[in-house]
Amino acid sequence: MRIRENSPNQYVGKTFGRLTVTDEIIARFGDQNRHAFVCDCSCGTKGLIYNKYTVMRGSTKSCGCLRKEACAANGRKCGAENLRRYKQSVR
């Protein structure tokens, strides 16, 4: 399979969810080269690299700030703290 070094930057400047595409690249995900987007999030986080297709189909919407805001709006805490609490309650 031939990999194009200069992919057409037809998505640069477009916004998907909270992510704005700043560049299209070929990146290594596991043991394969994949098309990827370099994105800036609307919360201010810059230079994030995501698989192009997860961003385009809506699986990836933000850098993680959206999940944090949703948890805070529901009055819950998200992340490792809840995981620790869950593991202790299961024992």
Side-chain angles (χ1 to χ4, degrees):
M1 172 170 47
R2 193 175 134 213
I3 298 173
R4 292 182 289 163
E5 293 298 323
N6 298 322
S7 64
N9 291 327
Q10 61 185 353
Y11 296 103
V12 172
K14 292 193 177 182
T15 302
F16 299 93
R18 292 186 176 192
L19 299 173
T20 302
V21 178
T22 57
D23 196 12
E24 287 185 63
I25 61 171
I26 304 291
R28 191 126 180 107
F29 288 95
D31 60 346
Q32 297 180 348
N33 291 323
R34 301 282 174 122
H35 289 270
F37 286 150
V38 178
C39 300
D40 294 342
C41 187
S42 63
C43 72
T45 307
K46 298 188 179 297
L48 305 164
I49 297 177
Y50 293 110
N51 184 321
K52 175 180 180 177
Y53 302 104
T54 62
V55 173
M56 288 175 60
R57 73 173 171 246
S59 298
T60 304
K61 296 182 174 102
S62 72
C63 66
C65 62
L66 186 62
R67 181 173 185 262
K68 290 175 189 173
E69 289 175 13
C71 287
N74 292 328
R76 293 183 289 153
K77 292 184 179 180
C78 297
E81 184 177 313
N82 282 345
L83 182 62
R84 274 185 244 116
R85 219 178 300 139
Y86 173 76
K87 284 183 178 180
Q88 288 173 354
S89 68
V90 172
R91 289 183 188 169

